[in-house]
Amino acid sequence: MLDLLEAYGFFGLQHGSAVLLGLLRSKILATTLGPFGVGIFSQANAFFTLLQGFFILGLGGSLTKMIAEAYAREDYERLNQTILTVLLAYGLIGVTFVSACAVFAQPLARFTFNDTAYLSYVVIVALTAFAWLHYQEMLIIFRGLMQWRESSLVAILGNTINLVIMLICILLWDVWGAVLSLLLSQVVSFLLAFWLLIRSTSQRHPIRFWKAKPQWHILRSLVDFAGPLTVMNLLGTVLYLTIRSQIIRQLGAEANGLYQAAYAVSYAYMGFVNTAVWGYGIPKLSSLKEKVGEVVHIQNNSLRLGWLTMVPFTIALLAGREIWIPLLFSSAFLSVAPLFIWQLMGDVIFFVRMNILISMVPLEKMRNYFFEGAPPSPLWTAFSVFFLSRWGVAAVIFGYFLINLLFLVFDLTVQSRCQWLSVASG
């Protein structure tokens, strides 16, 4: 439990600063660009989210698992081979997808922004995803080695510098500058993480990946394990971008900006949940995968601690939304305030679902993970698009809550049945 508290403490500090800086970023965007500019920028950000799934191809979870397992066995030869193999593979993947985005920039701009005038944004965001890819590998190494301090320090410093970069770029080039700041921010974050890995972490652990040789069997192991994660990530990001694109097509960029106000706040604090689950849960559970009882114990402690952290915060957000929305955005975004209750309730339910599903990854129960985790995204998309013309942005937010609620019932039913079968077979 003390290890969990330490990790959550660093993640809490990291995401506390991320929330603060993210809200400052939202305020800057809202006051300088207005709903239309925020809608265009958020669409570029949604396209960035889509490319993240394509670039990383689900290798993040499997890479964290393999690094944690090698570290637990003190097999540093395999650890260094894994790092180098994935670094080279990511380089090849990144170049391939950046080239594809440059070639197909015009149709991608039409799909994302409904306007080919934004094709330069497509190329910028593709380069952003390439820089982000290598930054994520650095963070995965820190987390696989259970170096919570280094992971949090890089994120805090990077977020602070990135806010300054964004402000300067917006003042110089408006919306185009805001999109450009995404690229510059990821480059700075990668350089910070790489410097810390070489100057600090590699001094305490025998990490010398530049002296290792890439191994094809490591890459095959990663790909075999990452298949379900890749499908889920790509499916989720493609469908999320589809929802955002439909908002622009049916309701306009202003409506997309209003939805961004609800999503941005949710994304800010849900980032803590995501980092805690994948940053702590995957490496810790991977190192204990032979001890199923301990895995369940850690999962339950994580759920309890998350509830104590998340629920009071969401209640405070809901109670004060009429105050902080004008403060953090502007009064033009107040029309989305009544919908926040459904967004926040959906987040709480999603958090519970994540904790139910996460133990399946290190235990390599990928079939269960896929069939419980994949269906919500297409159902949410279908619900949102079908009711968008009738209910507006409310269809997207309420659909997020409703689909998560239905699948929470499904997850609990499946988990209870699996436990009953385990007891019966025992």
Coordinates of all heavy atoms in Angstrom, one line a residue, residues 117-207:
A117 N -8.3 23.6 -46.8 CA -7.4 24.7 -46.5 C -6.5 24.4 -45.3 O -5.5 25.1 -45.1 CB -8.2 26.0 -46.2
Y118 N -6.9 23.4 -44.5 CA -6.1 23.0 -43.3 C -5.2 21.9 -43.5 O -4.8 21.3 -42.5 CB -7.1 22.7 -42.2 CG -8.0 23.8 -41.8 CD1 -9.4 23.8 -42.1 CD2 -7.5 24.8 -41.0 CE1 -10.2 24.9 -41.8 CE2 -8.4 25.9 -40.6 CZ -9.7 25.9 -41.0 OH -10.5 26.9 -40.6
L119 N -4.8 21.6 -44.7 CA -3.9 20.5 -45.0 C -2.5 20.6 -44.3 O -1.9 19.6 -44.0 CB -3.7 20.2 -46.5 CG -3.1 21.3 -47.4 CD1 -1.6 21.2 -47.5 CD2 -3.7 21.1 -48.8
S120 N -2.0 21.9 -44.1 CA -0.8 22.1 -43.4 C -0.8 21.6 -42.0 O 0.1 21.1 -41.4 CB -0.3 23.5 -43.5 OG -1.2 24.4 -42.8
Y121 N -2.0 21.7 -41.4 CA -2.2 21.3 -40.0 C -2.0 19.7 -39.9 O -1.6 19.2 -38.9 CB -3.7 21.6 -39.5 CG -3.9 23.1 -39.3 CD1 -3.1 24.0 -39.8 CD2 -5.1 23.5 -38.6 CE1 -3.3 25.4 -39.6 CE2 -5.3 24.8 -38.4 CZ -4.4 25.8 -38.9 OH -4.7 27.1 -38.7
V122 N -2.4 19.0 -41.0 CA -2.3 17.6 -41.0 C -0.8 17.2 -40.9 O -0.4 16.3 -40.1 CB -2.9 17.0 -42.3 CG1 -2.6 15.5 -42.4 CG2 -4.4 17.2 -42.3
V123 N 0.0 17.9 -41.7 CA 1.5 17.6 -41.7 C 2.1 17.9 -40.3 O 2.9 17.1 -39.8 CB 2.2 18.3 -42.8 CG1 3.7 18.0 -42.8 CG2 1.6 17.9 -44.2
I124 N 1.7 19.1 -39.8 CA 2.2 19.5 -38.5 C 1.9 18.4 -37.4 O 2.7 18.0 -36.6 CB 1.7 20.9 -38.1 CG1 2.3 21.9 -39.0 CG2 2.1 21.2 -36.6 CD1 1.7 23.3 -38.8
V125 N 0.6 18.0 -37.4 CA 0.2 17.1 -36.4 C 0.8 15.7 -36.6 O 1.2 15.0 -35.6 CB -1.4 16.9 -36.4 CG1 -1.8 15.8 -35.5 CG2 -2.0 18.3 -36.0
A126 N 1.1 15.3 -37.8 CA 1.8 14.1 -38.1 C 3.2 14.1 -37.5 O 3.7 13.1 -36.8 CB 1.9 13.8 -39.6
L127 N 3.9 15.2 -37.7 CA 5.3 15.4 -37.1 C 5.2 15.4 -35.5 O 6.1 14.9 -34.9 CB 5.9 16.7 -37.6 CG 6.3 16.6 -39.1 CD1 6.7 18.0 -39.5 CD2 7.4 15.6 -39.4
T128 N 4.1 16.0 -35.0 CA 3.9 16.0 -33.6 C 3.7 14.6 -33.0 O 4.3 14.3 -32.0 CB 2.6 16.8 -33.3 OG1 2.7 18.1 -33.8 CG2 2.4 16.9 -31.8
A129 N 3.0 13.7 -33.7 CA 2.8 12.4 -33.3 C 4.1 11.6 -33.3 O 4.4 10.7 -32.5 CB 1.8 11.7 -34.2
F130 N 5.0 11.9 -34.3 CA 6.3 11.3 -34.4 C 7.2 11.6 -33.2 O 7.8 10.7 -32.6 CB 7.0 11.7 -35.7 CG 8.3 11.1 -35.9 CD1 8.4 9.7 -36.1 CD2 9.5 11.8 -36.0 CE1 9.6 9.1 -36.3 CE2 10.7 11.2 -36.2 CZ 10.8 9.8 -36.4
A131 N 7.2 12.9 -32.8 CA 7.9 13.3 -31.6 C 7.3 12.7 -30.3 O 8.1 12.3 -29.4 CB 8.0 14.8 -31.5
W132 N 6.0 12.7 -30.3 CA 5.3 12.1 -29.1 C 5.6 10.7 -28.9 O 5.8 10.2 -27.8 CB 3.8 12.3 -29.3 CG 3.0 11.6 -28.3 CD1 2.6 12.0 -27.1 CD2 2.4 10.3 -28.5 NE1 1.8 11.0 -26.4 CE2 1.7 10.0 -27.3 CE3 2.5 9.3 -29.5 CZ2 1.0 8.8 -27.1 CZ3 1.8 8.1 -29.3 CH2 1.1 7.8 -28.1
L133 N 5.8 9.9 -30.1 CA 6.0 8.5 -30.0 C 7.3 8.2 -29.2 O 7.3 7.3 -28.4 CB 6.1 8.0 -31.4 CG 6.3 6.5 -31.7 CD1 5.1 5.7 -31.1 CD2 6.6 6.2 -33.1
H134 N 8.4 8.9 -29.5 CA 9.7 8.7 -28.9 C 9.6 9.2 -27.4 O 10.3 8.7 -26.5 CB 10.8 9.3 -29.7 CG 11.0 8.6 -31.0 ND1 11.6 7.4 -31.1 CD2 10.7 9.0 -32.3 CE1 11.6 7.0 -32.4 NE2 11.1 8.0 -33.1
Y135 N 8.9 10.3 -27.2 CA 8.7 10.8 -25.8 C 8.0 9.7 -25.0 O 8.4 9.5 -23.8 CB 7.9 12.1 -25.8 CG 7.4 12.6 -24.5 CD1 8.3 12.8 -23.5 CD2 6.1 12.8 -24.3 CE1 7.9 13.2 -22.2 CE2 5.6 13.3 -23.0 CZ 6.6 13.5 -22.0 OH 6.1 13.9 -20.8
Q136 N 7.0 9.1 -25.5 CA 6.3 8.0 -24.8 C 7.2 6.8 -24.5 O 7.1 6.2 -23.4 CB 5.1 7.6 -25.6 CG 3.9 8.5 -25.6 CD 3.4 8.9 -24.2 OE1 3.1 8.0 -23.4 NE2 3.4 10.1 -23.9
E137 N 8.1 6.5 -25.4 CA 9.0 5.4 -25.0 C 9.9 5.7 -23.8 O 10.1 4.9 -23.0 CB 9.9 5.0 -26.2 CG 10.8 3.8 -25.9 CD 11.7 3.4 -27.1 OE1 11.8 4.2 -28.0 OE2 12.2 2.3 -27.0
M138 N 10.3 7.0 -23.7 CA 11.1 7.4 -22.6 C 10.3 7.2 -21.3 O 10.8 6.7 -20.3 CB 11.6 8.8 -22.7 CG 12.5 9.1 -23.9 SD 14.0 8.2 -23.9 CE 13.7 6.9 -25.2
L139 N 9.0 7.7 -21.3 CA 8.2 7.6 -20.1 C 7.9 6.1 -19.8 O 7.8 5.7 -18.6 CB 6.8 8.3 -20.4 CG 6.9 9.8 -20.5 CD1 5.5 10.4 -20.6 CD2 7.6 10.4 -19.3
I140 N 7.7 5.3 -20.8 CA 7.5 3.8 -20.6 C 8.7 3.2 -19.9 O 8.5 2.4 -19.0 CB 7.2 3.1 -21.9 CG1 5.8 3.5 -22.4 CG2 7.3 1.6 -21.8 CD1 5.5 3.1 -23.8
I141 N 9.9 3.6 -20.3 CA 11.1 3.1 -19.7 C 11.1 3.5 -18.2 O 11.4 2.6 -17.3 CB 12.4 3.6 -20.4 CG1 12.4 3.0 -21.8 CG2 13.6 3.2 -19.6 CD1 13.5 3.7 -22.6
F142 N 10.8 4.7 -17.9 CA 10.8 5.2 -16.5 C 9.8 4.3 -15.7 O 10.0 3.9 -14.6 CB 10.4 6.6 -16.4 CG 11.5 7.6 -16.9 CD1 11.2 8.7 -17.7 CD2 12.8 7.4 -16.6 CE1 12.2 9.5 -18.1 CE2 13.8 8.2 -17.1 CZ 13.5 9.3 -17.8
R143 N 8.6 4.2 -16.3 CA 7.5 3.5 -15.5 C 7.8 2.0 -15.4 O 7.5 1.4 -14.4 CB 6.2 3.7 -16.2 CG 5.7 5.2 -16.1 CD 4.6 5.5 -17.1 NE 4.3 6.9 -17.1 CZ 3.5 7.5 -17.9 NH1 2.9 6.8 -18.9 NH2 3.2 8.8 -17.9
G144 N 8.4 1.4 -16.5 CA 8.7 0.0 -16.4 C 9.7 -0.3 -15.3 O 9.7 -1.4 -14.7
L145 N 10.6 0.7 -15.1 CA 11.6 0.6 -14.0 C 11.1 1.1 -12.7 O 11.8 1.1 -11.7 CB 12.9 1.4 -14.4 CG 13.6 0.9 -15.7 CD1 14.7 1.9 -16.0 CD2 14.3 -0.5 -15.5
M146 N 9.8 1.4 -12.7 CA 9.1 2.0 -11.5 C 9.8 3.2 -10.9 O 9.9 3.4 -9.7 CB 9.0 0.9 -10.4 CG 8.3 -0.3 -10.9 SD 8.0 -1.6 -9.7 CE 7.5 -3.0 -10.8
Q147 N 10.3 4.0 -11.9 CA 10.9 5.3 -11.5 C 9.8 6.4 -11.6 O 9.8 7.2 -12.5 CB 12.1 5.6 -12.4 CG 13.2 4.6 -12.5 CD 13.9 4.5 -11.1 OE1 14.4 5.5 -10.6 NE2 13.9 3.3 -10.6
W148 N 8.9 6.4 -10.6 CA 7.8 7.3 -10.6 C 8.3 8.8 -10.6 O 7.7 9.7 -11.2 CB 6.9 7.1 -9.5 CG 6.7 5.7 -9.1 CD1 7.0 5.1 -7.8 CD2 6.2 4.6 -9.9 NE1 6.7 3.8 -7.8 CE2 6.2 3.4 -9.1 CE3 5.8 4.5 -11.2 CZ2 5.8 2.2 -9.5 CZ3 5.4 3.2 -11.6 CH2 5.4 2.1 -10.8
R149 N 9.4 9.0 -9.8 CA 9.9 10.4 -9.7 C 10.3 11.0 -11.0 O 10.0 12.1 -11.3 CB 11.0 10.4 -8.7 CG 11.5 11.8 -8.3 CD 12.8 11.7 -7.5 NE 12.7 10.9 -6.4 CZ 12.3 11.3 -5.2 NH1 12.0 12.5 -5.0 NH2 12.2 10.4 -4.2
E150 N 11.1 10.2 -11.7 CA 11.6 10.7 -13.0 C 10.5 11.0 -14.0 O 10.4 12.0 -14.7 CB 12.6 9.7 -13.6 CG 14.0 9.7 -12.9 CD 14.0 9.0 -11.6 OE1 12.9 8.5 -11.2 OE2 15.1 8.8 -11.0
S151 N 9.5 10.0 -14.1 CA 8.4 10.1 -15.0 C 7.6 11.4 -14.7 O 7.2 12.2 -15.6 CB 7.5 8.9 -14.9 OG 6.4 9.0 -15.7
S152 N 7.4 11.7 -13.4 CA 6.6 12.9 -13.0 C 7.4 14.1 -13.3 O 6.8 15.1 -13.7 CB 6.2 12.7 -11.6 OG 5.4 11.6 -11.3
L153 N 8.7 14.1 -13.0 CA 9.5 15.3 -13.1 C 9.5 15.8 -14.6 O 9.3 17.0 -14.9 CB 10.9 15.1 -12.6 CG 11.9 16.2 -12.8 CD1 11.5 17.4 -12.0 CD2 13.3 15.8 -12.4
V154 N 9.7 14.8 -15.5 CA 9.7 15.1 -16.9 C 8.4 15.7 -17.4 O 8.3 16.7 -18.1 CB 10.0 13.9 -17.8 CG1 9.7 14.1 -19.2 CG2 11.5 13.5 -17.6
A155 N 7.3 15.1 -16.9 CA 6.0 15.6 -17.3 C 5.7 17.0 -16.8 O 5.2 17.9 -17.5 CB 4.9 14.7 -16.8
I156 N 6.1 17.3 -15.5 CA 5.8 18.6 -15.0 C 6.6 19.7 -15.7 O 6.1 20.8 -16.0 CB 6.1 18.6 -13.4 CG1 5.1 17.7 -12.7 CG2 6.1 20.0 -12.9 CD1 5.5 17.5 -11.3
L157 N 7.9 19.4 -15.8 CA 8.8 20.4 -16.5 C 8.3 20.6 -18.0 O 8.3 21.8 -18.5 CB 10.2 20.0 -16.5 CG 11.0 20.0 -15.1 CD1 12.4 19.4 -15.3 CD2 11.0 21.4 -14.6
G158 N 8.0 19.5 -18.6 CA 7.5 19.6 -20.0 C 6.3 20.4 -20.1 O 6.1 21.3 -21.0
N159 N 5.3 20.2 -19.3 CA 4.0 20.9 -19.3 C 4.2 22.4 -19.1 O 3.6 23.2 -19.7 CB 3.0 20.3 -18.3 CG 2.5 19.0 -18.7 OD1 2.4 18.6 -19.9 ND2 2.1 18.2 -17.7
T160 N 5.1 22.7 -18.2 CA 5.3 24.2 -17.9 C 6.0 24.9 -19.1 O 5.5 26.0 -19.5 CB 6.3 24.3 -16.6 OG1 5.7 23.6 -15.5 CG2 6.5 25.7 -16.3
I161 N 7.0 24.3 -19.6 CA 7.6 24.9 -20.8 C 6.7 24.9 -22.0 O 6.6 25.9 -22.8 CB 8.9 24.1 -21.2 CG1 9.9 24.2 -20.0 CG2 9.5 24.6 -22.5 CD1 11.1 23.3 -20.2
N162 N 5.9 23.9 -22.1 CA 5.0 23.8 -23.3 C 3.9 24.9 -23.2 O 3.4 25.4 -24.3 CB 4.3 22.4 -23.3 CG 5.3 21.3 -23.6 OD1 6.4 21.6 -24.0 ND2 5.0 20.1 -23.3
L163 N 3.4 25.3 -22.0 CA 2.5 26.4 -21.9 C 3.1 27.7 -22.4 O 2.4 28.4 -23.1 CB 2.0 26.5 -20.4 CG 1.0 27.6 -20.2 CD1 -0.3 27.3 -20.8 CD2 0.8 27.8 -18.7
V164 N 4.3 27.9 -22.1 CA 5.0 29.1 -22.6 C 5.1 29.1 -24.1 O 4.9 30.1 -24.8 CB 6.4 29.3 -21.9 CG1 7.1 30.5 -22.4 CG2 6.2 29.4 -20.4
I165 N 5.5 27.9 -24.6 CA 5.6 27.8 -26.1 C 4.3 28.1 -26.8 O 4.2 28.8 -27.8 CB 6.1 26.4 -26.4 CG1 7.6 26.2 -26.0 CG2 6.0 26.1 -27.9 CD1 8.1 24.8 -26.1
M166 N 3.2 27.5 -26.2 CA 1.9 27.7 -26.8 C 1.5 29.2 -26.8 O 1.0 29.7 -27.8 CB 0.8 26.9 -26.1 CG -0.5 26.9 -26.8 SD -1.9 26.4 -25.7 CE -2.0 27.9 -24.7
L167 N 1.7 29.9 -25.7 CA 1.3 31.3 -25.6 C 2.1 32.1 -26.6 O 1.5 33.0 -27.3 CB 1.6 31.8 -24.2 CG 1.3 33.3 -23.9 CD1 -0.1 33.6 -24.2 CD2 1.7 33.7 -22.5
I168 N 3.4 31.9 -26.7 CA 4.2 32.7 -27.7 C 3.7 32.4 -29.1 O 3.5 33.3 -29.9 CB 5.6 32.3 -27.6 CG1 6.2 32.8 -26.2 CG2 6.5 32.9 -28.7 CD1 7.6 32.3 -25.9
C169 N 3.4 31.1 -29.5 CA 3.0 30.8 -30.8 C 1.6 31.3 -31.2 O 1.4 31.8 -32.3 CB 3.0 29.2 -31.0 SG 4.6 28.5 -31.0
I170 N 0.7 31.4 -30.2 CA -0.6 31.9 -30.4 C -0.5 33.4 -30.7 O -1.2 34.0 -31.6 CB -1.6 31.6 -29.3 CG1 -2.0 30.1 -29.3 CG2 -2.8 32.5 -29.3 CD1 -2.8 29.7 -28.1
L171 N 0.3 34.1 -29.9 CA 0.4 35.5 -30.0 C 1.0 35.9 -31.4 O 0.7 36.9 -32.0 CB 1.3 36.1 -28.9 CG 0.6 36.1 -27.5 CD1 1.6 36.6 -26.5 CD2 -0.6 36.9 -27.5
L172 N 1.9 35.0 -31.9 CA 2.5 35.3 -33.2 C 1.7 34.9 -34.4 O 1.6 35.6 -35.4 CB 3.9 34.6 -33.2 CG 5.0 35.1 -32.3 CD1 6.2 34.2 -32.4 CD2 5.4 36.5 -32.6
W173 N 1.0 33.7 -34.3 CA 0.4 33.1 -35.5 C -1.1 32.7 -35.2 O -1.6 31.9 -36.1 CB 1.2 32.0 -36.0 CG 2.6 32.4 -36.3 CD1 3.0 33.3 -37.3 CD2 3.8 31.9 -35.7 NE1 4.4 33.4 -37.4 CE2 4.9 32.5 -36.4 CE3 4.1 31.0 -34.7 CZ2 6.2 32.3 -36.1 CZ3 5.4 30.8 -34.4 CH2 6.5 31.4 -35.0
D174 N -1.7 33.0 -34.2 CA -3.1 32.7 -33.9 C -3.4 31.1 -33.9 O -2.6 30.4 -33.3 CB -4.0 33.4 -34.9 CG -4.0 34.9 -34.7 OD1 -3.9 35.3 -33.6 OD2 -4.1 35.6 -35.8
V175 N -4.4 30.7 -34.7 CA -4.7 29.3 -34.6 C -3.6 28.4 -35.2 O -3.3 27.3 -34.6 CB -6.0 29.0 -35.4 CG1 -6.4 27.5 -35.4 CG2 -7.2 29.8 -34.9
W176 N -3.0 28.8 -36.3 CA -1.9 28.1 -36.8 C -0.7 27.9 -35.8 O -0.1 26.9 -35.7 CB -1.3 28.8 -38.1 CG -0.3 28.0 -38.9 CD1 -0.6 27.0 -39.8 CD2 1.1 28.0 -38.7 NE1 0.6 26.5 -40.3 CE2 1.6 27.1 -39.7 CE3 2.0 28.8 -38.0 CZ2 3.0 26.9 -39.8 CZ3 3.3 28.6 -38.1 CH2 3.9 27.6 -39.0
G177 N -0.5 29.0 -35.0 CA 0.5 28.9 -34.0 C 0.1 28.0 -32.9 O 1.0 27.3 -32.3
A178 N -1.2 27.9 -32.6 CA -1.6 27.0 -31.5 C -1.3 25.5 -32.0 O -0.9 24.7 -31.2 CB -3.1 27.2 -31.3
V179 N -1.6 25.2 -33.2 CA -1.3 23.9 -33.8 C 0.2 23.6 -33.8 O 0.7 22.5 -33.5 CB -1.9 23.7 -35.2 CG1 -1.6 22.4 -35.8 CG2 -3.4 23.9 -35.1
L180 N 1.0 24.6 -34.2 CA 2.4 24.5 -34.3 C 3.0 24.2 -32.9 O 4.0 23.4 -32.7 CB 3.1 25.7 -34.9 CG 4.6 25.7 -34.9 CD1 5.1 24.6 -35.9 CD2 5.1 27.1 -35.4
S181 N 2.4 24.8 -31.9 CA 2.9 24.6 -30.5 C 2.8 23.2 -30.1 O 3.5 22.7 -29.2 CB 2.1 25.5 -29.5 OG 0.8 25.1 -29.3
L182 N 1.8 22.4 -30.6 CA 1.7 21.0 -30.3 C 3.0 20.3 -30.7 O 3.6 19.4 -29.9 CB 0.6 20.3 -31.1 CG -0.8 20.7 -30.7 CD1 -1.9 20.1 -31.6 CD2 -1.1 20.3 -29.2
L183 N 3.6 20.6 -31.9 CA 4.8 19.9 -32.3 C 6.0 20.4 -31.5 O 6.8 19.5 -31.0 CB 5.1 20.3 -33.8 CG 6.4 19.9 -34.4 CD1 6.6 18.4 -34.3 CD2 6.6 20.4 -35.8
L184 N 6.1 21.7 -31.3 CA 7.3 22.1 -30.5 C 7.3 21.6 -29.1 O 8.3 21.3 -28.5 CB 7.3 23.7 -30.5 CG 7.4 24.4 -31.8 CD1 7.4 25.9 -31.7 CD2 8.7 23.9 -32.5
S185 N 6.1 21.5 -28.5 CA 5.9 21.0 -27.1 C 6.4 19.5 -27.0 O 7.1 19.1 -26.1 CB 4.5 21.1 -26.7 OG 4.1 22.4 -26.6
Q186 N 6.0 18.7 -28.0 CA 6.4 17.3 -27.9 C 7.9 17.1 -28.2 O 8.6 16.2 -27.5 CB 5.6 16.5 -29.0 CG 4.2 16.4 -28.7 CD 3.8 15.8 -27.3 OE1 4.5 14.8 -26.9 NE2 2.8 16.3 -26.7
V187 N 8.5 17.9 -29.0 CA 10.0 17.9 -29.2 C 10.7 18.2 -27.9 O 11.6 17.5 -27.5 CB 10.4 18.8 -30.3 CG1 11.9 18.9 -30.4 CG2 9.8 18.3 -31.7
V188 N 10.3 19.3 -27.2 CA 10.9 19.7 -26.0 C 10.7 18.6 -24.9 O 11.7 18.3 -24.2 CB 10.3 21.0 -25.5 CG1 10.7 21.3 -24.0 CG2 10.7 22.1 -26.4
S189 N 9.5 18.0 -24.8 CA 9.3 16.9 -23.9 C 10.2 15.7 -24.1 O 10.7 15.1 -23.1 CB 7.8 16.5 -23.9 OG 7.0 17.6 -23.5
F190 N 10.4 15.3 -25.4 CA 11.2 14.2 -25.7 C 12.7 14.5 -25.3 O 13.4 13.6 -24.7 CB 11.2 13.9 -27.2 CG 12.3 12.9 -27.6 CD1 12.3 11.6 -27.2 CD2 13.3 13.4 -28.4 CE1 13.3 10.8 -27.6 CE2 14.4 12.6 -28.8 CZ 14.4 11.3 -28.4
L191 N 13.2 15.7 -25.6 CA 14.6 16.0 -25.3 C 14.8 16.0 -23.8 O 15.8 15.6 -23.3 CB 14.9 17.4 -25.9 CG 15.0 17.5 -27.4 CD1 15.2 18.9 -27.9 CD2 16.0 16.5 -28.0
L192 N 13.8 16.5 -23.0 CA 13.9 16.5 -21.6 C 14.0 15.1 -21.0 O 14.8 14.7 -20.2 CB 12.7 17.2 -20.9 CG 12.8 18.8 -20.9 CD1 11.5 19.3 -20.4 CD2 13.9 19.2 -19.9
A193 N 13.1 14.2 -21.5 CA 13.0 12.8 -21.1 C 14.3 12.1 -21.4 O 14.8 11.3 -20.6 CB 11.8 12.2 -21.6
F194 N 14.8 12.3 -22.6 CA 16.0 11.6 -23.1 C 17.2 12.0 -22.3 O 18.0 11.2 -21.9 CB 16.2 11.8 -24.6 CG 17.3 11.0 -25.2 CD1 17.1 9.6 -25.4 CD2 18.6 11.5 -25.4 CE1 18.1 8.9 -26.0 CE2 19.6 10.8 -25.9 CZ 19.4 9.4 -26.2
W195 N 17.3 13.3 -22.0 CA 18.4 13.8 -21.2 C 18.4 13.2 -19.8 O 19.4 12.8 -19.3 CB 18.3 15.3 -21.1 CG 19.4 15.9 -20.3 CD1 20.7 16.3 -20.7 CD2 19.3 16.3 -18.9 NE1 21.4 16.8 -19.6 CE2 20.6 16.9 -18.5 CE3 18.3 16.3 -18.0 CZ2 20.8 17.3 -17.2 CZ3 18.5 16.7 -16.7 CH2 19.8 17.3 -16.3
L196 N 17.2 13.1 -19.2 CA 17.1 12.6 -17.8 C 17.4 11.1 -17.8 O 18.0 10.6 -16.9 CB 15.7 12.8 -17.3 CG 15.5 12.5 -15.8 CD1 16.4 13.3 -14.9 CD2 14.0 12.7 -15.4
L197 N 17.0 10.4 -18.9 CA 17.3 8.9 -18.9 C 18.8 8.7 -19.0 O 19.3 7.8 -18.3 CB 16.6 8.3 -20.2 CG 16.9 6.9 -20.4 CD1 16.3 6.0 -19.4 CD2 16.4 6.5 -21.8
I198 N 19.5 9.5 -19.8 CA 21.0 9.3 -19.9 C 21.7 9.8 -18.7 O 22.6 9.1 -18.2 CB 21.5 10.0 -21.2 CG1 20.8 9.4 -22.5 CG2 23.0 9.8 -21.3 CD1 21.0 8.0 -22.7
R199 N 21.4 10.9 -18.2 CA 22.1 11.5 -17.1 C 21.8 11.0 -15.7 O 22.6 11.2 -14.8 CB 21.9 13.1 -17.1 CG 22.5 13.8 -18.4 CD 24.0 13.6 -18.4 NE 24.6 14.2 -17.2 CZ 25.0 15.5 -17.1 NH1 24.8 16.3 -18.2 NH2 25.6 16.0 -16.0
S200 N 20.6 10.5 -15.5 CA 20.2 10.0 -14.2 C 19.9 8.5 -14.1 O 20.6 7.8 -13.4 CB 19.0 10.9 -13.8 OG 18.5 10.4 -12.5
T201 N 18.9 8.1 -14.8 CA 18.4 6.7 -14.7 C 19.5 5.7 -15.1 O 19.7 4.7 -14.4 CB 17.1 6.5 -15.6 OG1 16.1 7.4 -15.1 CG2 16.6 5.1 -15.4
S202 N 20.2 6.0 -16.2 CA 21.2 5.1 -16.7 C 22.4 5.0 -15.7 O 23.2 4.1 -15.8 CB 21.7 5.4 -18.1 OG 22.3 6.7 -18.1
Q203 N 22.5 6.0 -14.8 CA 23.6 5.9 -13.8 C 23.3 5.0 -12.7 O 24.2 4.5 -12.0 CB 23.9 7.3 -13.3 CG 24.3 8.3 -14.4 CD 25.5 7.9 -15.2 OE1 26.5 7.5 -14.7 NE2 25.3 8.1 -16.5
R204 N 22.0 4.8 -12.4 CA 21.6 3.9 -11.3 C 21.2 2.5 -11.7 O 21.2 1.6 -10.9 CB 20.3 4.5 -10.6 CG 20.6 5.9 -10.0 CD 19.5 6.2 -9.0 NE 18.2 6.3 -9.6 CZ 17.7 7.3 -10.3 NH1 18.4 8.4 -10.4 NH2 16.5 7.2 -10.8
H205 N 20.9 2.4 -13.0 CA 20.7 1.0 -13.6 C 21.6 0.8 -14.8 O 21.9 1.7 -15.5 CB 19.2 0.9 -14.0 CG 18.2 1.2 -12.9 ND1 17.9 0.3 -11.9 CD2 17.5 2.4 -12.7 CE1 17.0 0.9 -11.1 NE2 16.7 2.1 -11.5
P206 N 22.0 -0.5 -15.0 CA 22.9 -0.7 -16.1 C 22.1 -0.7 -17.5 O 22.0 -1.7 -18.2 CB 23.4 -2.2 -15.8 CG 22.3 -2.8 -14.9 CD 21.8 -1.7 -14.1
I207 N 21.7 0.5 -17.8 CA 20.9 0.7 -19.1 C 21.9 1.3 -20.1 O 22.4 2.4 -20.0 CB 19.8 1.7 -18.9 CG1 18.7 1.1 -17.9 CG2 19.1 2.0 -20.2 CD1 17.6 2.1 -17.7

